Amino acid sequence: MGFFDKIKQKITGVTEALTFDRLKEGLTKTRDSFVGRLRAVLFAGRKIDAQLLSEIEEILITSDVGVTTTDKIIARLKDRVRADNLQDAELILDVLKEEIAGLIAQSPSAQADATFSIDESNKPHVIMLIGVNGVGKTTTIGKMAHNYKKAGRSVLIGAADTFRAAANEQLEVWATRAGVDIIQQKHGADPAAVAFDTLNAAKARGTDVVIIDTAGRLHNKQGLMQELEKIGRVMKKIQPDAPHDIFLALDATTGQNALQQAKEFTKVAPITGIVLTKLDGTAKGGAVLAIADAMQIPVRYIGVGERIDDLQVFDAATFVEALFEERSSVDEQPA
């Protein structure tokens, strides 16, 4: 049984099948652009030569996989062509799929936590979410809270983005949708004070997970660094090792710019995980591969839709399987 046959066999339960279907649906634009173009050049009877490899390379780069990651994939592909003595271009697609999955499986992203586990002896588990405005931080927090609650965890949200007037209201809506409580103060309040009050309340209530929102900006790196350090410093007065995770939210529709943004944020914060949002709205989903390969920080979650259950744990093998999944004849029929 092949590697991806085992992945399909794993997706047997109703929940797993629905999650995989949502992932496939969310990757439609990327699959049509990326894999669709690959299928167009990898037809039966075409010989594998330098021209074909050049075309594959171009498709990868223009699909926002990035030059560095593309070079690695092409090198692995050439090795397989030689080792397996492949001659027909039609055979390359499955090999390419396996090599991409293998490359990402070697990255930190392969270690994502699908169980939403926390240290029972050190609660609450504190997560800070950072990222520029417009990347989907607020919706991500609501969806993440929903996921933790669905896993049987109690959650408290801290609305520490006090600079944007509508931030509290939007976060309150998502907290209500997720069925969790929120701590907030008036517009312009000290973000560190909000974080302190949230963690204090969580300790008193015996809450499992705290999720802290932060202001979304990067134009003033020094100011952002100072603010994040202050938030961490005041929380440490209550819980010395807080925050336990700092997640960076990135907008997948920005493609390679998301990778550059990730590199900039790592200069100002000890990021422990990346959340890629809005994958359903872009053909640039190849950026997931570039970020997972290039960063020494794992991609933890991906957003594949607007519904509250559309934030999925990133699983490298399942992601690649959904990306390369062929459309059924029913899917291809016009509505």
Side-chain angles (χ1 to χ4, degrees), residues 22 139 143 174 177 278 280-281 303-311:
R22 288 294 297 130
T139 56
K143 293 172 182 179
W174 276 96
R177 290 182 66 184
K278 308 180 186 181
D280 57 309
V304 295
E306 296 181 2
R307 299 191 308 213
I308 198 164
D309 57 351
D310 281 337
L311 184 71

Tab-separated table of all heavy atoms in Angstrom, residues 22 139 143 174 177 278 280-281 303-311:
chain	number	residue	atom	x	y	z
A	22	ARG	N	-13.875	19.581	3.191
A	22	ARG	CA	-13.789	21.025	3.345
A	22	ARG	C	-12.409	21.522	2.917
A	22	ARG	O	-12.280	22.595	2.327
A	22	ARG	CB	-14.055	21.434	4.801
A	22	ARG	CG	-15.486	21.305	5.238
A	22	ARG	CD	-16.407	22.282	4.491
A	22	ARG	NE	-16.050	23.657	4.770
A	22	ARG	CZ	-15.864	24.574	3.832
A	22	ARG	NH1	-15.977	24.262	2.547
A	22	ARG	NH2	-15.571	25.815	4.168
A	139	THR	N	-11.165	36.523	13.321
A	139	THR	CA	-11.885	35.297	12.969
A	139	THR	C	-11.088	34.060	13.372
A	139	THR	O	-11.661	33.059	13.802
A	139	THR	CB	-12.190	35.248	11.457
A	139	THR	OG1	-10.969	35.386	10.717
A	139	THR	CG2	-13.131	36.372	11.054
A	143	LYS	N	-12.371	30.987	15.734
A	143	LYS	CA	-12.336	29.608	15.250
A	143	LYS	C	-11.443	28.729	16.122
A	143	LYS	O	-11.767	27.562	16.374
A	143	LYS	CB	-11.850	29.584	13.792
A	143	LYS	CG	-12.820	30.242	12.806
A	143	LYS	CD	-12.194	30.366	11.430
A	143	LYS	CE	-13.137	31.060	10.460
A	143	LYS	NZ	-12.528	31.219	9.124
A	174	TRP	N	-17.397	36.960	17.706
A	174	TRP	CA	-16.814	35.637	17.489
A	174	TRP	C	-16.750	34.818	18.776
A	174	TRP	O	-16.924	33.601	18.755
A	174	TRP	CB	-15.423	35.765	16.856
A	174	TRP	CG	-15.520	35.898	15.367
A	174	TRP	CD1	-15.511	37.044	14.631
A	174	TRP	CD2	-15.690	34.834	14.429
A	174	TRP	NE1	-15.654	36.771	13.300
A	174	TRP	CE2	-15.763	35.414	13.140
A	174	TRP	CE3	-15.774	33.455	14.533
A	174	TRP	CZ2	-15.921	34.660	11.985
A	174	TRP	CZ3	-15.933	32.698	13.374
A	174	TRP	CH2	-16.004	33.291	12.126
A	177	ARG	N	-20.148	33.399	19.172
A	177	ARG	CA	-20.354	32.294	18.230
A	177	ARG	C	-19.663	31.024	18.707
A	177	ARG	O	-20.169	29.922	18.536
A	177	ARG	CB	-19.826	32.680	16.838
A	177	ARG	CG	-20.644	33.741	16.136
A	177	ARG	CD	-20.100	34.030	14.743
A	177	ARG	NE	-20.232	32.886	13.857
A	177	ARG	CZ	-19.762	32.850	12.611
A	177	ARG	NH1	-19.116	33.900	12.120
A	177	ARG	NH2	-19.924	31.772	11.870
A	278	LYS	N	-7.421	32.380	4.879
A	278	LYS	CA	-8.004	32.736	3.576
A	278	LYS	C	-7.495	31.890	2.410
A	278	LYS	O	-7.437	32.352	1.271
A	278	LYS	CB	-7.776	34.225	3.271
A	278	LYS	CG	-8.229	35.165	4.389
A	278	LYS	CD	-7.985	36.621	4.032
A	278	LYS	CE	-8.302	37.542	5.202
A	278	LYS	NZ	-8.087	38.961	4.873
A	280	ASP	N	-9.027	29.579	1.008
A	280	ASP	CA	-10.134	29.349	0.079
A	280	ASP	C	-10.295	30.485	-0.923
A	280	ASP	O	-10.933	30.308	-1.957
A	280	ASP	CB	-11.450	29.180	0.861
A	280	ASP	CG	-11.741	30.388	1.748
A	280	ASP	OD1	-10.839	30.786	2.515
A	280	ASP	OD2	-12.857	30.934	1.680
A	281	GLY	N	-9.703	31.649	-0.634
A	281	GLY	CA	-9.902	32.806	-1.505
A	281	GLY	C	-8.748	33.085	-2.435
A	281	GLY	O	-8.667	34.165	-3.017
A	303	GLY	N	-6.720	28.261	7.356
A	303	GLY	CA	-8.122	28.654	7.237
A	303	GLY	C	-8.626	28.369	5.840
A	303	GLY	O	-8.058	28.852	4.856
A	304	VAL	N	-9.672	27.546	5.733
A	304	VAL	CA	-10.157	27.119	4.413
A	304	VAL	C	-11.598	27.562	4.145
A	304	VAL	O	-12.253	27.046	3.261
A	304	VAL	CB	-10.042	25.586	4.251
A	304	VAL	CG1	-8.586	25.154	4.256
A	304	VAL	CG2	-10.807	24.844	5.347
A	305	GLY	N	-12.078	28.536	4.907
A	305	GLY	CA	-13.442	29.007	4.701
A	305	GLY	C	-13.855	29.965	5.805
A	305	GLY	O	-13.089	30.236	6.732
A	306	GLU	N	-15.080	30.469	5.720
A	306	GLU	CA	-15.548	31.489	6.649
A	306	GLU	C	-16.329	30.907	7.822
A	306	GLU	O	-16.626	31.624	8.782
A	306	GLU	CB	-16.420	32.506	5.908
A	306	GLU	CG	-15.646	33.287	4.839
A	306	GLU	CD	-16.515	34.305	4.121
A	306	GLU	OE1	-17.696	34.429	4.488
A	306	GLU	OE2	-16.004	34.969	3.202
A	307	ARG	N	-16.665	29.631	7.771
A	307	ARG	CA	-17.436	29.041	8.854
A	307	ARG	C	-16.571	28.842	10.090
A	307	ARG	O	-15.350	28.767	9.991
A	307	ARG	CB	-18.043	27.704	8.403
A	307	ARG	CG	-18.992	27.863	7.228
A	307	ARG	CD	-19.783	26.606	6.940
A	307	ARG	NE	-18.972	25.421	6.809
A	307	ARG	CZ	-19.275	24.411	5.982
A	307	ARG	NH1	-20.342	24.492	5.221
A	307	ARG	NH2	-18.504	23.344	5.921
A	308	ILE	N	-17.210	28.737	11.239
A	308	ILE	CA	-16.471	28.674	12.494
A	308	ILE	C	-15.640	27.404	12.618
A	308	ILE	O	-14.656	27.364	13.352
A	308	ILE	CB	-17.447	28.809	13.696
A	308	ILE	CG1	-16.657	29.185	14.966
A	308	ILE	CG2	-18.265	27.529	13.894
A	308	ILE	CD1	-17.527	29.711	16.080
A	309	ASP	N	-15.987	26.358	11.862
A	309	ASP	CA	-15.211	25.110	11.922
A	309	ASP	C	-14.249	24.977	10.739
A	309	ASP	O	-13.773	23.888	10.434
A	309	ASP	CB	-16.150	23.894	11.985
A	309	ASP	CG	-17.115	23.834	10.815
A	309	ASP	OD1	-17.195	24.808	10.024
A	309	ASP	OD2	-17.824	22.822	10.687
A	310	ASP	N	-13.935	26.098	10.089
A	310	ASP	CA	-13.080	26.069	8.903
A	310	ASP	C	-11.619	26.398	9.185
A	310	ASP	O	-10.847	26.658	8.262
A	310	ASP	CB	-13.615	27.025	7.825
A	310	ASP	CG	-14.785	26.424	7.058
A	310	ASP	OD1	-14.899	25.188	7.041
A	310	ASP	OD2	-15.586	27.184	6.480
A	311	LEU	N	-11.226	26.394	10.465
A	311	LEU	CA	-9.810	26.493	10.796
A	311	LEU	C	-9.318	25.086	11.093
A	311	LEU	O	-9.731	24.465	12.070
A	311	LEU	CB	-9.591	27.396	12.018
A	311	LEU	CG	-8.123	27.639	12.391
A	311	LEU	CD1	-7.439	28.536	11.352
A	311	LEU	CD2	-8.006	28.256	13.783
